[in-house]
Amino acid sequence: MVSPLQDKGFMAETQAKEWLESKGFIHRVSNYRFKHAEIDLIMQHKGILVFVEVKFRSGTGYGYAEEFVDYRKRQLIIRAADHYIHEVDWHRDIRFDIVGVYKDRSGRIGFKHFEDAFY
């Protein structure tokens, strides 16, 4: 059974994917797993492989999305990305982005994109 939190996360990832595609990104993989790590979205944009962490927030009272990707989470994503890069034999540029999906009080969805957020 999927919890409401997991359901919100899946919805946010789907919305982020569609939003990024509308910006010219090409979707490669969703929810890529390697050991204990998961990359929400792997996209390609202008020849760059982009590993995207998606964070959903209903308001900013507890902080912004980018504040919830701590050092440990970044290290797990980097490790999984390294595995994916070797798996597909990627030899060009990469970057790590965070996409915040925000829902305001009236239910409208907004996005905040942090390109090259960490490495």
Side-chain angles (χ1 to χ4, degrees):
M1 180 138 173
V2 176
S3 75
L5 188 60
Q6 288 171 315
D7 193 39
K8 284 181 183 178
F10 176 76
M11 290 286 293
E13 289 169 15
T14 301
Q15 291 167 327
K17 177 179 92 60
E18 291 169 357
W19 182 74
L20 288 168
E21 287 173 329
S22 78
K23 303 281 185 208
F25 285 70
I26 298 165
H27 177 254
R28 291 182 65 125
V29 180
S30 291
N31 306 113
Y32 178 80
R33 290 185 170 280
F34 174 68
K35 296 188 179 180
H36 297 292
E38 180 181 351
I39 300 171
D40 294 330
L41 299 171
I42 301 176
M43 309 289 284
Q44 193 172 330
H45 189 246
K46 297 181 180 179
I48 299 171
L49 194 60
V50 184
F51 300 95
V52 182
E53 176 67 10
V54 178
K55 289 292 181 193
F56 176 76
R57 291 270 148 272
S58 53
T60 56
Y62 292 103
Y64 291 97
E66 70 277 14
E67 297 174 285
F68 290 87
V69 184
D70 62 14
Y71 176 80
R72 177 162 162 60
K73 179 71 172 175
R74 290 192 303 266
Q75 294 308 304
L76 287 170
I77 293 168
I78 290 166
R79 198 168 303 131
D82 191 48
H83 186 266
Y84 181 82
I85 289 164
H86 287 90
E87 185 178 282
V88 300
D89 199 29
W90 185 264
H91 293 283
R92 299 192 320 210
D93 288 339
I94 67 163
R95 79 170 190 240
F96 296 89
D97 291 4
I98 299 171
V99 172
V101 180
Y102 296 90
K103 186 176 189 179
D104 69 16
R105 289 182 181 171
S106 63
R108 286 183 303 234
I109 299 293
F111 302 91
K112 196 167 181 189
H113 187 184
F114 302 90
E115 292 185 14
D116 216 2
F118 62 89
Y119 189 105

